[in-house]
Amino acid sequence: MPLDSFHRDINYLRISLTDRCNLRCQYCMPLHGLTFVPDPELLTAEEIEKVVRAAAGIGFRKFRLTGGEPTLRPDLIEITRRIAGVSGAHDLGMTTNGMLLERLARPLKEAGLKRVNVHVDSLNEERVKKLMRFVDLDNVWRGIRAAEAAGLLPVKLNAVVARGYNEDDVVELARLTVANDWQMRYIELMPLGSGPEAQFSIDRYVSNVETKRKIEAALGTLTPLENADPSDEAVNYRLPGARGVIGFISPVSEPYCGTCNRMRLTADGKFHLCLLHDDELDVKKILRGGGTVADIQEVLNLAITAKPTGHGLAIGVHTQNRKMHQIGG
Ligand code: SAM
Ligand code: SF4
């Protein structure tokens, strides 16, 4: 069991497949001035599999594909098949904006993906376009339905709530859980990087206390649910008579660093130790220098030991060197 210096069991690896994206959400990617990792610097499918093999070998159990937008990787199905084939790495999910999910859902399921989280901030076409620039709600919707039909379950939907953009749309999103066995999760804005997206995240922050109050005022009291997984970052509830679940992810108003079980692998091959800090350890250097699985495990164990105790948002400290699309959430 990989324990860090604070006795947290670090068993969940989030793998960023690319820093590119087909959208430009206001809080994640600016419209101008972006540079991307050149293709030869991205970890290959084979290299990713090797890191997963190393992680599973020291007790990692949960794996998630993210980005940028993971569905932009042309070898996504191969990567999925390789990871799902690693002994101990059966719990494999993906976080996506859903734009390309319709045609990928079935092949992903066949390759061994277990479930998807689809990011959609509002059901209102005009407002969602202002926030998740270039999104097409019909595409996302078809993607969600395809994921459900393919058995990528439970379908989880992620909404980031931003003042002046979608803070009233949280109610219509919550209503989806009445008839559908989905999990609708609300994420508080976090600043990453030092550009306009970080300032946006600070200026437009909405606390989940407010979001929860708004949902309850419109749809009735939320009943708390026991968390099956204690390291689940969402605090879960159910609306009266609903099939699905409402979750609140509140890194700012209610930090969950004490139960953090995550390590992150960036698309350019660095272990990123905490979403909201800059500390990283290079694993690509080991991979491309002929390193073995044991060599990778050595770096990973160092990364686990060096994981910071928690984030410093309350004192104004956050990741400077990377934006959200370069880590993967
Ligand atoms: N492109 C995929 C997507 O949007 O789901 C995967 C990558 S995205 C970086 C992963 C998650 O980060 C998304 O659910 C998104 O809502 C969330 N996210 C992005 N920027 C954020 C921010 N500044 N604060 C909080 N969550 C953010
Ligand atoms: Fe792309 Fe996801 Fe970032 Fe939006 S949150 S810009 S969809 S990577």
Side-chain angles (χ1 to χ4, degrees):
M1 210 166 53
L3 292 182
D4 75 356
S5 320
F6 306 95
H7 297 280
R8 296 172 297 191
D9 180 10
I10 311 302
N11 56 22
Y12 176 16
L13 184 65
R14 297 178 62 100
I15 304 166
S16 174
L17 299 184
T18 175
D19 56 349
R20 291 172 194 264
C21 188
N22 41 1
L23 305 186
R24 292 287 184 275
C25 301
Q26 294 263 9
Y27 40 74
C28 181
M29 287 175 92
L31 285 176
H32 306 290
L34 287 162
T35 51
F36 297 105
V37 177
D39 282 353
E41 297 307 320
L42 292 173
L43 292 190
T44 64
E46 199 179 335
E47 288 168 339
I48 293 168
E49 179 191 342
K50 200 163 174 183
V51 176
V52 169
R53 201 172 289 288
I58 60 165
F60 277 71
R61 288 294 167 261
K62 277 179 76 172
F63 297 85
R64 174 162 294 273
L65 307 176
T66 178
E69 179 44 42
T71 58
L72 295 185
R73 270 292 284 244
D75 53 355
L76 175 65
I77 303 297
E78 184 196 345
I79 293 170
T80 305
R81 194 177 300 111
R82 280 176 177 270
I83 297 176
V86 172
S87 156
H90 304 302
D91 189 353
L92 177 61
M94 181 176 78
T95 300
T96 171
N97 61 35
M99 290 282 287
L100 301 173
L101 192 55
E102 185 184 17
R103 70 175 175 81
L104 284 169
R106 189 161 295 282
L108 280 168
K109 172 74 181 177
E110 285 164 6
L113 191 74
K114 289 287 188 288
R115 65 193 136 264
V116 283
N117 292 8
V118 182
H119 171 194
V120 56
D121 290 342
S122 168
L123 300 179
N124 178 284
E125 185 78 45
E126 199 184 321
R127 286 194 294 276
V128 82
K129 276 205 154 82
K130 283 193 182 137
L131 194 51
M132 301 176 69
R133 296 174 289 211
F134 316 138
V135 73
D136 179 328
L137 265 190
D138 287 341
N139 268 358
V140 177
W141 210 244
R142 283 199 298 271
I144 292 169
R145 291 293 179 198
E148 197 175 40
L152 293 167
L153 302 172
V155 170
K156 295 187 186 179
L157 306 182
N158 290 340
V160 180
V161 186
R163 178 83 61 215
Y165 283 81
N166 66 338
E167 80 254 48
D168 293 327
D169 299 341
V170 297
V171 172
E172 284 317 300
L173 287 166
R175 211 188 292 277
L176 290 173
T177 66
V178 174
N180 299 288
D181 190 8
W182 297 345
Q183 288 191 24
M184 181 65 235
R185 312 183 327 154
Y186 301 93
I187 305 177
E188 288 181 346
L189 277 170
M190 291 171 272
L192 280 93
S194 53
E197 68 294 335
Q199 199 54 46
F200 181 97
S201 302
I202 293 167
D203 296 344
R204 303 284 172 169
Y205 169 78
V206 178
S207 159
N208 266 338
V209 176
E210 178 181 327
T211 297
K212 179 167 177 273
R213 204 177 293 135
K214 205 166 274 175
I215 293 169
E216 289 195 301
L219 303 174
T221 305
L222 286 163
T223 305
L225 301 177
E226 190 95 356
N227 257 11
D229 175 0
S231 61
D232 183 355
E233 70 271 46
V235 180
N236 295 319
Y237 296 84
R238 201 185 297 279
L239 280 169
R243 293 183 64 206
V245 172
I246 307 262
F248 297 98
I249 300 178
S250 316
V252 182
S253 67
E254 222 175 305
Y256 38 82
C257 306
T259 55
C260 180
N261 64 344
R262 297 166 190 77
M263 180 56 64
R264 294 173 169 85
L265 177 65
T266 64
D268 58 349
K270 308 278 188 331
F271 286 125
H272 188 94
L273 311 195
C274 163
L275 178 62
L276 289 156
H277 283 275
D278 283 321
D279 320 54
E280 297 188 339
L281 280 176
D282 193 346
V283 66
K284 190 171 70 188
K285 199 171 62 187
I286 311 288
L287 283 160
R288 299 205 173 163
T292 62
V293 165
D295 295 329
I296 298 163
Q297 286 171 337
E298 196 177 319
V299 188
L300 182 51
N301 276 320
L302 280 177
I304 291 168
T305 310
K307 240 182 100 69
T309 172
H311 69 63
L313 288 182
I315 52 165
V317 174
H318 68 261
T319 324
Q320 295 293 321
N321 298 344
R322 296 222 188 229
K323 302 178 193 301
M324 188 62 117
H325 71 102
Q326 296 170 313
I327 307 175

